[in-house]
Amino acid sequence: MLTLLTPRFTLSSFQETDWSFFRTLRQNSDVMRYMANIANEADTRRIFEQRLKEKNAFVIRAHGDETPLGDIGLRVSQAHPGEADIGYSILPAFQGRGIASEALRALCEYAFYQTPVEALNAWVLAENTGSVRVLEKARFRRVESLEKAFLLNDEYYDDWSFRLTKAAFVAGS
């Protein structure tokens, strides 16, 4: 099991005991409103089973507390192993407290110093201003805007692509 530590949080690999948290997270309309349609329980369970197998998928918890606050992870590209996509979500009760920012910094450090990844990519809906702020604070730069490219709940949204290179991360550290 892989564990990353930040000043306030522990990021640990998914465990079977995280199912209830994951189901709650993935069935919360406030969390999913910028990510995907809410899946049925069987599909959510399949996604969870995949998370259990992923070495770079983490549950975020406060130090000394087993209560999950959110999740974060990276998926290294099979075609381009020097690149990875990142994603994160925080339960609504814990949003706005710097959790995603602190966890993202730890994930970037892990990706750039402990894996062969040279660039991280993130996709975010333009309307998701909280996530845009998290990425910009972490020095990700918007590199592409796709107008009305993401279909969610029968509505099209602008989709923004952000990128952070290892060189930019190291230079800003």
Side-chain angles (χ1 to χ4, degrees):
M1 176 194 328
L2 183 59
T3 301
L4 307 178
L5 299 175
T6 77
R8 298 184 296 157
F9 306 108
T10 300
L11 284 60
S12 57
S13 300
F14 273 84
Q15 301 298 310
E16 185 61 45
T17 54
D18 294 318
W19 163 241
S20 178
F21 150 72
F22 189 76
R23 183 180 59 224
T24 298
L25 186 71
R26 286 302 184 114
Q27 292 181 346
N28 185 298
S29 60
D30 289 334
V31 171
M32 299 305 293
R33 72 179 172 203
Y34 298 120
M35 293 172 47
N37 294 324
I38 295 177
N40 63 43
E41 188 160 337
D43 289 342
T44 301
R45 182 68 193 194
R46 278 190 280 283
I47 296 167
F48 178 74
E49 294 293 333
Q50 184 178 354
R51 293 293 187 279
L52 288 172
K53 297 173 188 171
E54 292 176 359
K55 141 183 177 180
N56 299 319
F58 304 96
V59 176
I60 305 165
R61 294 179 172 86
H63 291 309
D65 187 348
E66 288 301 309
T67 305
L69 309 174
D71 67 353
I72 191 166
L74 64 96
R75 187 168 287 142
V76 177
S77 169
Q78 296 297 316
H80 305 283
E83 295 196 19
D85 291 339
I86 60 105
Y88 47 85
S89 54
I90 306 296
L91 286 167
F94 302 107
Q95 292 176 3
R97 300 181 187 183
I99 296 168
S101 294
E102 193 170 319
L104 180 57
R105 171 122 184 115
L107 189 69
C108 291
E109 288 174 357
Y110 164 71
F112 291 140
Y113 294 122
Q114 297 182 35
T115 77
V117 169
E118 295 288 325
L120 294 171
N121 302 301
W123 291 89
V124 62
L125 297 187
E127 289 83 0
N128 190 349
T129 56
S131 192
V132 168
R133 278 195 307 274
V134 167
L135 292 168
E136 289 174 341
K137 185 176 173 183
R139 293 185 317 280
F140 278 73
R141 298 292 169 243
R142 188 170 55 168
V143 294
E144 189 173 16
S145 297
L146 302 173
E147 290 186 29
K148 305 298 179 201
F150 192 83
L151 179 63
L152 179 62
N153 295 320
D154 298 322
E155 188 173 341
Y156 283 94
Y157 294 88
D158 292 351
D159 205 9
W160 290 354
S161 172
F162 285 81
R163 185 174 179 88
L164 177 65
T165 63
K166 182 176 183 177
F169 181 79
V170 171
S173 294

